[in-house]
Amino acid sequence: MIALRRSTERGGGDYGWLNTRHTFSFDQYYDPRFMGFRSLRVINEDVVAPAGGFPTHPHRDMEIITYVLEGKLEHKDSLGTGSVILPGDGQRMTAGRGIRHSERNPSQTDAVHLLQIWIMPEKNGLQPSYEQKSFPESEKRGKLRVIASRDGREGSVKINQDAQLFVSLLLPGEEVTHQFQQNRHGWLQIAKGAGELNGLKLEQGDGAAISAEDALTIKAAKDSEILLFDLA
C-alpha cells in the first residue's frame, strides 16, 4: 500500500527570512492525520534567506538529521560543535537528555535549501552527540546510498533507531529499486525533480508512506534527488 502526501497539501508558510513546508504536524501547523509515520516525526523543507537562521534553541529526545540541498548551513551547539553542513552531507544530532543549538545561513547573497528531519529515538535520555560525514555525489549517482543507519553500516552516520536513510541522484529515465525485509515500512521524499514510485507519479516536495510492499521501483522523470527511509 502506498499513500501519497502531496507537496501542495503540506503546512508551513513564508516568514520572509524562512519559507518552510511541513510534511507532518509541526509548530503552529496541526493536522491529526499527519503526526508522522512510524518513527519518522518531522520532514520540514526550509529555504533560509541570506544571513537568516534559527537562533539558539533547545531539543531533547529526538534524532535530528539536517540534509542540505543547496547552499551552506552553519551549525553550533552546546557540545561545542561548530560546523558547516554542505549539500549531500550526512549530519545527525542526538538531542538525548538535552541539547541547545543554532543554525544560520552564513551567506550574505545566497539562500540555503534544506530538509530538517526528526526521527524518534528508541529510548529517551540518551547522551547528546553530533556526527557529520561527507558522501560524494558519485556514491549516490544512479544508486541508493545509505547515509544514516542504526549500525553505521557502509560508513553512514549512526542513529538511535531501527531506521535507515538512503539518498539517490537520478538522471531522467534512470531508476533504482529497493527490497523491503518482512514487516518493514518506507517513506519516500522527492527532494528535487520528479518521478514515479511503482508507477505512481510524484513531483518535487511530494512524499509517500509505504507499507506491505515487497519492493519499490523509483524512476526519475527529471534530474532528481530522492530520500528513502526504511523503517521498522
Side-chain angles (χ1 to χ4, degrees):
M1 182 179 69
I2 297 176
L4 300 183
R5 172 64 156 151
R6 293 299 184 188
S7 172
T8 53
E9 299 171 351
R10 295 178 296 178
D14 190 343
Y15 304 98
W17 69 274
L18 172 68
N19 190 319
T20 183
R21 292 294 177 267
H22 308 321
T23 294
F24 304 117
S25 294
F26 182 85
D27 192 27
Q28 299 176 49
Y29 170 63
Y30 174 73
D31 187 329
R33 300 171 301 164
F34 297 101
M35 296 300 296
F37 180 72
R38 310 300 293 180
S39 60
L40 182 58
R41 177 60 187 85
V42 166
I43 301 178
N44 290 347
E45 181 181 0
D46 294 340
V47 177
V48 181
F54 303 90
T56 301
H57 57 282
H59 291 287
R60 64 180 302 124
D61 296 325
M62 196 66 68
E63 301 290 288
I64 300 173
I65 295 171
T66 302
Y67 190 79
V68 173
L69 297 164
E70 293 179 284
K72 300 177 181 179
L73 190 71
E74 184 179 62
H75 167 97
K76 293 183 179 180
D77 63 41
S78 54
L79 300 176
T81 308
S83 69
V84 176
I85 307 166
L86 301 175
D89 284 357
Q91 181 262 23
R92 179 270 307 157
M93 184 176 71
T94 294
R97 58 177 177 262
I99 195 169
R100 296 177 63 82
H101 80 136
S102 64
E103 294 170 303
R104 63 178 293 272
N105 181 358
S107 174
Q108 299 297 313
T109 57
D110 300 321
V112 58
H113 183 194
L114 62 131
L115 296 178
Q116 292 274 13
I117 299 159
W118 293 8
I119 296 175
M120 294 181 290
E122 55 194 354
K123 62 180 179 180
N124 292 339
L126 295 168
Q127 177 72 27
S129 63
Y130 182 90
E131 187 179 13
Q132 181 177 338
K133 293 184 178 182
S134 177
F135 298 94
E137 181 178 318
S138 59
E139 296 183 3
K140 295 173 282 190
R141 179 61 63 189
K143 64 192 79 172
L144 287 166
R145 193 347 171 162
V146 61
I147 68 164
S149 65
R150 191 184 204 175
D151 57 3
R153 67 184 185 85
E154 299 179 28
S156 58
V157 299
K158 293 183 179 180
I159 51 176
N160 293 286
Q161 180 54 266
D162 185 5
Q164 301 171 82
L165 170 56
F166 299 87
V167 176
S168 185
L169 301 171
L170 299 172
L171 296 172
E174 277 192 313
E175 63 180 46
V176 289
T177 60
H178 181 71
Q179 299 286 138
F180 284 110
Q181 295 184 0
Q182 191 172 7
N183 298 322
R184 302 290 294 184
H185 305 261
W187 183 277
L188 179 75
Q189 189 72 22
I190 305 294
K192 291 182 181 180
E196 295 182 358
L197 170 63
N198 287 9
L200 298 172
K201 293 184 177 181
L202 293 98
E203 301 293 331
Q204 192 276 331
D206 288 351
I210 304 153
S211 296
E213 296 283 337
D214 294 332
L216 303 178
T217 298
I218 305 156
K219 184 176 181 179
K222 304 176 182 177
D223 284 351
S224 298
E225 188 163 8
I226 62 103
L227 278 67
L228 175 64
F229 299 83
D230 186 315
L231 307 163

PDB file of all heavy atoms in Angstrom, residues 56-64 75-81 91-102 126-131:
ATOM      1  N   THR A  56      19.640  30.184  18.852  1.00  0.00           N
ATOM      2  CA  THR A  56      19.869  29.068  19.773  1.00  0.00           C
ATOM      3  C   THR A  56      18.567  28.653  20.457  1.00  0.00           C
ATOM      4  O   THR A  56      17.833  29.487  20.992  1.00  0.00           O
ATOM      5  CB  THR A  56      20.914  29.458  20.831  1.00  0.00           C
ATOM      6  OG1 THR A  56      22.133  29.820  20.164  1.00  0.00           O
ATOM      7  CG2 THR A  56      21.185  28.295  21.771  1.00  0.00           C
ATOM      8  N   HIS A  57      18.284  27.346  20.388  1.00  0.00           N
ATOM      9  CA  HIS A  57      17.041  26.824  20.964  1.00  0.00           C
ATOM     10  C   HIS A  57      17.287  25.385  21.425  1.00  0.00           C
ATOM     11  O   HIS A  57      18.218  24.721  20.966  1.00  0.00           O
ATOM     12  CB  HIS A  57      15.897  26.883  19.950  1.00  0.00           C
ATOM     13  CG  HIS A  57      16.190  26.154  18.671  1.00  0.00           C
ATOM     14  ND1 HIS A  57      16.986  26.671  17.668  1.00  0.00           N
ATOM     15  CD2 HIS A  57      15.808  24.923  18.223  1.00  0.00           C
ATOM     16  CE1 HIS A  57      17.073  25.807  16.676  1.00  0.00           C
ATOM     17  NE2 HIS A  57      16.367  24.745  16.982  1.00  0.00           N
ATOM     18  N   PRO A  58      16.453  24.872  22.327  1.00  0.00           N
ATOM     19  CA  PRO A  58      16.683  23.541  22.896  1.00  0.00           C
ATOM     20  C   PRO A  58      15.931  22.433  22.168  1.00  0.00           C
ATOM     21  O   PRO A  58      14.903  22.665  21.522  1.00  0.00           O
ATOM     22  CB  PRO A  58      16.160  23.685  24.322  1.00  0.00           C
ATOM     23  CG  PRO A  58      15.015  24.657  24.187  1.00  0.00           C
ATOM     24  CD  PRO A  58      15.420  25.617  23.091  1.00  0.00           C
ATOM     25  N   HIS A  59      16.469  21.221  22.293  1.00  0.00           N
ATOM     26  CA  HIS A  59      15.789  19.995  21.871  1.00  0.00           C
ATOM     27  C   HIS A  59      16.090  18.916  22.900  1.00  0.00           C
ATOM     28  O   HIS A  59      17.112  18.963  23.604  1.00  0.00           O
ATOM     29  CB  HIS A  59      16.293  19.507  20.511  1.00  0.00           C
ATOM     30  CG  HIS A  59      15.923  20.360  19.351  1.00  0.00           C
ATOM     31  ND1 HIS A  59      14.647  20.412  18.836  1.00  0.00           N
ATOM     32  CD2 HIS A  59      16.665  21.206  18.586  1.00  0.00           C
ATOM     33  CE1 HIS A  59      14.615  21.238  17.814  1.00  0.00           C
ATOM     34  NE2 HIS A  59      15.829  21.735  17.635  1.00  0.00           N
ATOM     35  N   ARG A  60      15.250  17.884  22.917  1.00  0.00           N
ATOM     36  CA  ARG A  60      15.541  16.703  23.718  1.00  0.00           C
ATOM     37  C   ARG A  60      14.846  15.494  23.101  1.00  0.00           C
ATOM     38  O   ARG A  60      13.833  15.610  22.421  1.00  0.00           O
ATOM     39  CB  ARG A  60      15.142  16.881  25.185  1.00  0.00           C
ATOM     40  CG  ARG A  60      13.680  17.055  25.452  1.00  0.00           C
ATOM     41  CD  ARG A  60      13.404  17.217  26.960  1.00  0.00           C
ATOM     42  NE  ARG A  60      13.896  16.068  27.711  1.00  0.00           N
ATOM     43  CZ  ARG A  60      14.759  16.175  28.735  1.00  0.00           C
ATOM     44  NH1 ARG A  60      15.216  17.356  29.111  1.00  0.00           N
ATOM     45  NH2 ARG A  60      15.156  15.094  29.369  1.00  0.00           N
ATOM     46  N   ASP A  61      15.429  14.337  23.343  1.00  0.00           N
ATOM     47  CA  ASP A  61      14.842  13.042  22.975  1.00  0.00           C
ATOM     48  C   ASP A  61      14.365  12.997  21.528  1.00  0.00           C
ATOM     49  O   ASP A  61      13.210  12.651  21.238  1.00  0.00           O
ATOM     50  CB  ASP A  61      13.698  12.685  23.935  1.00  0.00           C
ATOM     51  CG  ASP A  61      14.201  12.483  25.361  1.00  0.00           C
ATOM     52  OD1 ASP A  61      15.330  11.966  25.512  1.00  0.00           O
ATOM     53  OD2 ASP A  61      13.485  12.842  26.311  1.00  0.00           O
ATOM     54  N   MET A  62      15.282  13.327  20.612  1.00  0.00           N
ATOM     55  CA  MET A  62      14.992  13.254  19.187  1.00  0.00           C
ATOM     56  C   MET A  62      16.301  13.069  18.428  1.00  0.00           C
ATOM     57  O   MET A  62      17.332  13.611  18.818  1.00  0.00           O
ATOM     58  CB  MET A  62      14.282  14.522  18.717  1.00  0.00           C
ATOM     59  CG  MET A  62      13.599  14.384  17.372  1.00  0.00           C
ATOM     60  SD  MET A  62      12.203  13.225  17.387  1.00  0.00           S
ATOM     61  CE  MET A  62      11.014  14.083  18.422  1.00  0.00           C
ATOM     62  N   GLU A  63      16.246  12.279  17.350  1.00  0.00           N
ATOM     63  CA  GLU A  63      17.361  12.175  16.414  1.00  0.00           C
ATOM     64  C   GLU A  63      17.079  13.171  15.291  1.00  0.00           C
ATOM     65  O   GLU A  63      16.061  13.051  14.601  1.00  0.00           O
ATOM     66  CB  GLU A  63      17.469  10.752  15.843  1.00  0.00           C
ATOM     67  CG  GLU A  63      17.664   9.671  16.891  1.00  0.00           C
ATOM     68  CD  GLU A  63      19.035   9.740  17.533  1.00  0.00           C
ATOM     69  OE1 GLU A  63      20.031   9.390  16.868  1.00  0.00           O
ATOM     70  OE2 GLU A  63      19.114  10.167  18.717  1.00  0.00           O
ATOM     71  N   ILE A  64      17.944  14.149  15.124  1.00  0.00           N
ATOM     72  CA  ILE A  64      17.704  15.238  14.186  1.00  0.00           C
ATOM     73  C   ILE A  64      18.729  15.163  13.053  1.00  0.00           C
ATOM     74  O   ILE A  64      19.933  15.180  13.290  1.00  0.00           O
ATOM     75  CB  ILE A  64      17.772  16.600  14.896  1.00  0.00           C
ATOM     76  CG1 ILE A  64      16.703  16.663  15.987  1.00  0.00           C
ATOM     77  CG2 ILE A  64      17.599  17.742  13.899  1.00  0.00           C
ATOM     78  CD1 ILE A  64      16.777  17.893  16.873  1.00  0.00           C
ATOM     79  N   HIS A  75      26.261  25.342  11.731  1.00  0.00           N
ATOM     80  CA  HIS A  75      25.687  24.714  12.932  1.00  0.00           C
ATOM     81  C   HIS A  75      26.600  24.975  14.130  1.00  0.00           C
ATOM     82  O   HIS A  75      27.819  24.817  14.028  1.00  0.00           O
ATOM     83  CB  HIS A  75      25.548  23.200  12.705  1.00  0.00           C
ATOM     84  CG  HIS A  75      25.271  22.410  13.952  1.00  0.00           C
ATOM     85  ND1 HIS A  75      24.006  22.034  14.331  1.00  0.00           N
ATOM     86  CD2 HIS A  75      26.112  21.927  14.915  1.00  0.00           C
ATOM     87  CE1 HIS A  75      24.077  21.359  15.471  1.00  0.00           C
ATOM     88  NE2 HIS A  75      25.341  21.281  15.844  1.00  0.00           N
ATOM     89  N   LYS A  76      25.998  25.329  15.260  1.00  0.00           N
ATOM     90  CA  LYS A  76      26.711  25.424  16.533  1.00  0.00           C
ATOM     91  C   LYS A  76      25.824  24.824  17.612  1.00  0.00           C
ATOM     92  O   LYS A  76      24.599  24.974  17.566  1.00  0.00           O
ATOM     93  CB  LYS A  76      27.045  26.881  16.875  1.00  0.00           C
ATOM     94  CG  LYS A  76      28.053  27.526  15.941  1.00  0.00           C
ATOM     95  CD  LYS A  76      28.389  28.947  16.367  1.00  0.00           C
ATOM     96  CE  LYS A  76      29.417  29.579  15.423  1.00  0.00           C
ATOM     97  NZ  LYS A  76      29.752  30.967  15.829  1.00  0.00           N
ATOM     98  N   ASP A  77      26.450  24.141  18.597  1.00  0.00           N
ATOM     99  CA  ASP A  77      25.634  23.542  19.659  1.00  0.00           C
ATOM    100  C   ASP A  77      26.347  23.593  20.997  1.00  0.00           C
ATOM    101  O   ASP A  77      27.520  23.989  21.096  1.00  0.00           O
ATOM    102  CB  ASP A  77      25.218  22.112  19.289  1.00  0.00           C
ATOM    103  CG  ASP A  77      26.381  21.147  19.142  1.00  0.00           C
ATOM    104  OD1 ASP A  77      27.321  21.197  19.962  1.00  0.00           O
ATOM    105  OD2 ASP A  77      26.363  20.335  18.199  1.00  0.00           O
ATOM    106  N   SER A  78      25.601  23.203  22.037  1.00  0.00           N
ATOM    107  CA  SER A  78      26.103  23.281  23.412  1.00  0.00           C
ATOM    108  C   SER A  78      27.148  22.223  23.730  1.00  0.00           C
ATOM    109  O   SER A  78      27.728  22.232  24.817  1.00  0.00           O
ATOM    110  CB  SER A  78      24.934  23.183  24.397  1.00  0.00           C
ATOM    111  OG  SER A  78      24.145  22.021  24.139  1.00  0.00           O
ATOM    112  N   LEU A  79      27.421  21.310  22.795  1.00  0.00           N
ATOM    113  CA  LEU A  79      28.526  20.362  22.951  1.00  0.00           C
ATOM    114  C   LEU A  79      29.853  20.990  22.536  1.00  0.00           C
ATOM    115  O   LEU A  79      30.905  20.375  22.710  1.00  0.00           O
ATOM    116  CB  LEU A  79      28.281  19.117  22.093  1.00  0.00           C
ATOM    117  CG  LEU A  79      27.024  18.297  22.372  1.00  0.00           C
ATOM    118  CD1 LEU A  79      26.887  17.169  21.362  1.00  0.00           C
ATOM    119  CD2 LEU A  79      27.036  17.742  23.792  1.00  0.00           C
ATOM    120  N   GLY A  80      29.783  22.189  21.958  1.00  0.00           N
ATOM    121  CA  GLY A  80      30.980  22.834  21.447  1.00  0.00           C
ATOM    122  C   GLY A  80      31.217  22.602  19.975  1.00  0.00           C
ATOM    123  O   GLY A  80      32.237  23.013  19.423  1.00  0.00           O
ATOM    124  N   THR A  81      30.261  21.943  19.311  1.00  0.00           N
ATOM    125  CA  THR A  81      30.393  21.673  17.886  1.00  0.00           C
ATOM    126  C   THR A  81      30.214  22.951  17.088  1.00  0.00           C
ATOM    127  O   THR A  81      29.301  23.732  17.343  1.00  0.00           O
ATOM    128  CB  THR A  81      29.330  20.666  17.420  1.00  0.00           C
ATOM    129  OG1 THR A  81      29.372  19.512  18.247  1.00  0.00           O
ATOM    130  CG2 THR A  81      29.563  20.268  15.966  1.00  0.00           C
ATOM    131  N   GLN A  91      24.345  14.410   8.316  1.00  0.00           N
ATOM    132  CA  GLN A  91      24.529  15.047   9.617  1.00  0.00           C
ATOM    133  C   GLN A  91      23.466  14.559  10.572  1.00  0.00           C
ATOM    134  O   GLN A  91      22.299  14.474  10.213  1.00  0.00           O
ATOM    135  CB  GLN A  91      24.459  16.569   9.471  1.00  0.00           C
ATOM    136  CG  GLN A  91      24.667  17.344  10.749  1.00  0.00           C
ATOM    137  CD  GLN A  91      23.371  17.797  11.410  1.00  0.00           C
ATOM    138  OE1 GLN A  91      22.299  17.218  11.185  1.00  0.00           O
ATOM    139  NE2 GLN A  91      23.434  18.810  12.244  1.00  0.00           N
ATOM    140  N   ARG A  92      23.889  14.204  11.780  1.00  0.00           N
ATOM    141  CA  ARG A  92      22.944  13.716  12.789  1.00  0.00           C
ATOM    142  C   ARG A  92      23.284  14.316  14.150  1.00  0.00           C
ATOM    143  O   ARG A  92      24.424  14.313  14.572  1.00  0.00           O
ATOM    144  CB  ARG A  92      23.012  12.184  12.863  1.00  0.00           C
ATOM    145  CG  ARG A  92      22.073  11.555  13.900  1.00  0.00           C
ATOM    146  CD  ARG A  92      22.707  11.398  15.273  1.00  0.00           C
ATOM    147  NE  ARG A  92      23.965  10.693  15.211  1.00  0.00           N
ATOM    148  CZ  ARG A  92      24.903  10.801  16.148  1.00  0.00           C
ATOM    149  NH1 ARG A  92      24.748  11.603  17.186  1.00  0.00           N
ATOM    150  NH2 ARG A  92      26.042  10.123  16.037  1.00  0.00           N
ATOM    151  N   MET A  93      22.259  14.822  14.808  1.00  0.00           N
ATOM    152  CA  MET A  93      22.406  15.302  16.175  1.00  0.00           C
ATOM    153  C   MET A  93      21.450  14.525  17.064  1.00  0.00           C
ATOM    154  O   MET A  93      20.244  14.514  16.821  1.00  0.00           O
ATOM    155  CB  MET A  93      22.103  16.803  16.251  1.00  0.00           C
ATOM    156  CG  MET A  93      22.332  17.403  17.635  1.00  0.00           C
ATOM    157  SD  MET A  93      22.088  19.200  17.664  1.00  0.00           S
ATOM    158  CE  MET A  93      20.297  19.283  17.484  1.00  0.00           C
ATOM    159  N   THR A  94      21.997  13.841  18.053  1.00  0.00           N
ATOM    160  CA  THR A  94      21.183  13.165  19.065  1.00  0.00           C
ATOM    161  C   THR A  94      20.923  14.163  20.182  1.00  0.00           C
ATOM    162  O   THR A  94      21.845  14.560  20.899  1.00  0.00           O
ATOM    163  CB  THR A  94      21.915  11.922  19.607  1.00  0.00           C
ATOM    164  OG1 THR A  94      22.050  10.955  18.558  1.00  0.00           O
ATOM    165  CG2 THR A  94      21.148  11.299  20.772  1.00  0.00           C
ATOM    166  N   ALA A  95      19.659  14.591  20.304  1.00  0.00           N
ATOM    167  CA  ALA A  95      19.330  15.577  21.328  1.00  0.00           C
ATOM    168  C   ALA A  95      19.360  14.948  22.722  1.00  0.00           C
ATOM    169  O   ALA A  95      19.738  15.602  23.698  1.00  0.00           O
ATOM    170  CB  ALA A  95      17.964  16.183  21.045  1.00  0.00           C
ATOM    171  N   GLY A  96      18.938  13.679  22.803  1.00  0.00           N
ATOM    172  CA  GLY A  96      19.014  12.949  24.063  1.00  0.00           C
ATOM    173  C   GLY A  96      18.395  13.696  25.219  1.00  0.00           C
ATOM    174  O   GLY A  96      17.303  14.259  25.115  1.00  0.00           O
ATOM    175  N   ARG A  97      19.118  13.735  26.338  1.00  0.00           N
ATOM    176  CA  ARG A  97      18.540  14.345  27.538  1.00  0.00           C
ATOM    177  C   ARG A  97      18.603  15.878  27.526  1.00  0.00           C
ATOM    178  O   ARG A  97      18.188  16.528  28.480  1.00  0.00           O
ATOM    179  CB  ARG A  97      19.232  13.805  28.784  1.00  0.00           C
ATOM    180  CG  ARG A  97      20.730  13.996  28.853  1.00  0.00           C
ATOM    181  CD  ARG A  97      21.242  13.463  30.191  1.00  0.00           C
ATOM    182  NE  ARG A  97      22.687  13.552  30.303  1.00  0.00           N
ATOM    183  CZ  ARG A  97      23.514  12.549  30.078  1.00  0.00           C
ATOM    184  NH1 ARG A  97      23.018  11.364  29.728  1.00  0.00           N
ATOM    185  NH2 ARG A  97      24.825  12.686  30.209  1.00  0.00           N
ATOM    186  N   GLY A  98      19.084  16.442  26.416  1.00  0.00           N
ATOM    187  CA  GLY A  98      19.003  17.889  26.263  1.00  0.00           C
ATOM    188  C   GLY A  98      20.194  18.485  25.539  1.00  0.00           C
ATOM    189  O   GLY A  98      21.346  18.181  25.877  1.00  0.00           O
ATOM    190  N   ILE A  99      19.921  19.310  24.541  1.00  0.00           N
ATOM    191  CA  ILE A  99      20.972  19.987  23.797  1.00  0.00           C
ATOM    192  C   ILE A  99      20.412  21.311  23.292  1.00  0.00           C
ATOM    193  O   ILE A  99      19.200  21.445  23.081  1.00  0.00           O
ATOM    194  CB  ILE A  99      21.469  19.117  22.621  1.00  0.00           C
ATOM    195  CG1 ILE A  99      22.805  19.627  22.067  1.00  0.00           C
ATOM    196  CG2 ILE A  99      20.427  19.032  21.518  1.00  0.00           C
ATOM    197  CD1 ILE A  99      23.475  18.655  21.097  1.00  0.00           C
ATOM    198  N   ARG A 100      21.283  22.287  23.118  1.00  0.00           N
ATOM    199  CA  ARG A 100      20.906  23.570  22.524  1.00  0.00           C
ATOM    200  C   ARG A 100      21.746  23.775  21.270  1.00  0.00           C
ATOM    201  O   ARG A 100      22.931  23.452  21.250  1.00  0.00           O
ATOM    202  CB  ARG A 100      21.140  24.723  23.520  1.00  0.00           C
ATOM    203  CG  ARG A 100      20.261  24.625  24.763  1.00  0.00           C
ATOM    204  CD  ARG A 100      20.559  25.735  25.752  1.00  0.00           C
ATOM    205  NE  ARG A 100      20.272  27.055  25.198  1.00  0.00           N
ATOM    206  CZ  ARG A 100      19.079  27.621  25.144  1.00  0.00           C
ATOM    207  NH1 ARG A 100      18.018  26.966  25.623  1.00  0.00           N
ATOM    208  NH2 ARG A 100      18.905  28.816  24.635  1.00  0.00           N
ATOM    209  N   HIS A 101      21.112  24.323  20.230  1.00  0.00           N
ATOM    210  CA  HIS A 101      21.874  24.563  19.013  1.00  0.00           C
ATOM    211  C   HIS A 101      21.287  25.721  18.224  1.00  0.00           C
ATOM    212  O   HIS A 101      20.161  26.159  18.473  1.00  0.00           O
ATOM    213  CB  HIS A 101      21.959  23.295  18.153  1.00  0.00           C
ATOM    214  CG  HIS A 101      20.739  23.009  17.332  1.00  0.00           C
ATOM    215  ND1 HIS A 101      20.776  22.612  16.016  1.00  0.00           N
ATOM    216  CD2 HIS A 101      19.419  23.075  17.650  1.00  0.00           C
ATOM    217  CE1 HIS A 101      19.559  22.432  15.558  1.00  0.00           C
ATOM    218  NE2 HIS A 101      18.714  22.688  16.510  1.00  0.00           N
ATOM    219  N   SER A 102      22.090  26.225  17.287  1.00  0.00           N
ATOM    220  CA  SER A 102      21.640  27.258  16.360  1.00  0.00           C
ATOM    221  C   SER A 102      22.042  26.847  14.958  1.00  0.00           C
ATOM    222  O   SER A 102      22.995  26.083  14.764  1.00  0.00           O
ATOM    223  CB  SER A 102      22.269  28.613  16.702  1.00  0.00           C
ATOM    224  OG  SER A 102      23.680  28.564  16.536  1.00  0.00           O
ATOM    225  N   LEU A 126      19.138   9.669  26.205  1.00  0.00           N
ATOM    226  CA  LEU A 126      20.450   9.308  25.665  1.00  0.00           C
ATOM    227  C   LEU A 126      21.456  10.443  25.854  1.00  0.00           C
ATOM    228  O   LEU A 126      21.094  11.604  26.042  1.00  0.00           O
ATOM    229  CB  LEU A 126      20.324   8.987  24.172  1.00  0.00           C
ATOM    230  CG  LEU A 126      19.493   7.761  23.798  1.00  0.00           C
ATOM    231  CD1 LEU A 126      19.214   7.746  22.304  1.00  0.00           C
ATOM    232  CD2 LEU A 126      20.209   6.480  24.215  1.00  0.00           C
ATOM    233  N   GLN A 127      22.741  10.093  25.777  1.00  0.00           N
ATOM    234  CA  GLN A 127      23.791  11.084  25.820  1.00  0.00           C
ATOM    235  C   GLN A 127      23.759  11.914  24.538  1.00  0.00           C
ATOM    236  O   GLN A 127      23.804  11.356  23.439  1.00  0.00           O
ATOM    237  CB  GLN A 127      25.163  10.390  25.943  1.00  0.00           C
ATOM    238  CG  GLN A 127      26.367  11.311  25.917  1.00  0.00           C
ATOM    239  CD  GLN A 127      26.508  12.129  27.177  1.00  0.00           C
ATOM    240  OE1 GLN A 127      26.059  11.718  28.251  1.00  0.00           O
ATOM    241  NE2 GLN A 127      27.120  13.293  27.063  1.00  0.00           N
ATOM    242  N   PRO A 128      23.659  13.239  24.638  1.00  0.00           N
ATOM    243  CA  PRO A 128      23.659  14.057  23.424  1.00  0.00           C
ATOM    244  C   PRO A 128      24.968  13.880  22.645  1.00  0.00           C
ATOM    245  O   PRO A 128      26.043  13.734  23.237  1.00  0.00           O
ATOM    246  CB  PRO A 128      23.521  15.485  23.956  1.00  0.00           C
ATOM    247  CG  PRO A 128      22.906  15.336  25.313  1.00  0.00           C
ATOM    248  CD  PRO A 128      23.460  14.047  25.846  1.00  0.00           C
ATOM    249  N   SER A 129      24.860  13.907  21.313  1.00  0.00           N
ATOM    250  CA  SER A 129      26.056  13.747  20.484  1.00  0.00           C
ATOM    251  C   SER A 129      25.799  14.312  19.095  1.00  0.00           C
ATOM    252  O   SER A 129      24.664  14.602  18.725  1.00  0.00           O
ATOM    253  CB  SER A 129      26.475  12.275  20.394  1.00  0.00           C
ATOM    254  OG  SER A 129      25.471  11.500  19.762  1.00  0.00           O
ATOM    255  N   TYR A 130      26.895  14.429  18.336  1.00  0.00           N
ATOM    256  CA  TYR A 130      26.835  15.025  16.999  1.00  0.00           C
ATOM    257  C   TYR A 130      27.745  14.238  16.072  1.00  0.00           C
ATOM    258  O   TYR A 130      28.831  13.815  16.472  1.00  0.00           O
ATOM    259  CB  TYR A 130      27.290  16.488  17.058  1.00  0.00           C
ATOM    260  CG  TYR A 130      27.210  17.206  15.726  1.00  0.00           C
ATOM    261  CD1 TYR A 130      26.067  17.878  15.348  1.00  0.00           C
ATOM    262  CD2 TYR A 130      28.291  17.205  14.846  1.00  0.00           C
ATOM    263  CE1 TYR A 130      25.982  18.541  14.128  1.00  0.00           C
ATOM    264  CE2 TYR A 130      28.213  17.864  13.623  1.00  0.00           C
ATOM    265  CZ  TYR A 130      27.063  18.524  13.278  1.00  0.00           C
ATOM    266  OH  TYR A 130      26.967  19.172  12.071  1.00  0.00           O
ATOM    267  N   GLU A 131      27.294  14.060  14.831  1.00  0.00           N
ATOM    268  CA  GLU A 131      28.102  13.357  13.837  1.00  0.00           C
ATOM    269  C   GLU A 131      27.792  13.926  12.457  1.00  0.00           C
ATOM    270  O   GLU A 131      26.635  14.196  12.139  1.00  0.00           O
ATOM    271  CB  GLU A 131      27.806  11.857  13.865  1.00  0.00           C
ATOM    272  CG  GLU A 131      28.715  11.029  12.981  1.00  0.00           C
ATOM    273  CD  GLU A 131      28.413   9.534  13.050  1.00  0.00           C
ATOM    274  OE1 GLU A 131      27.343   9.168  13.592  1.00  0.00           O
ATOM    275  OE2 GLU A 131      29.235   8.752  12.559  1.00  0.00           O
TER     276      GLU A 131
END
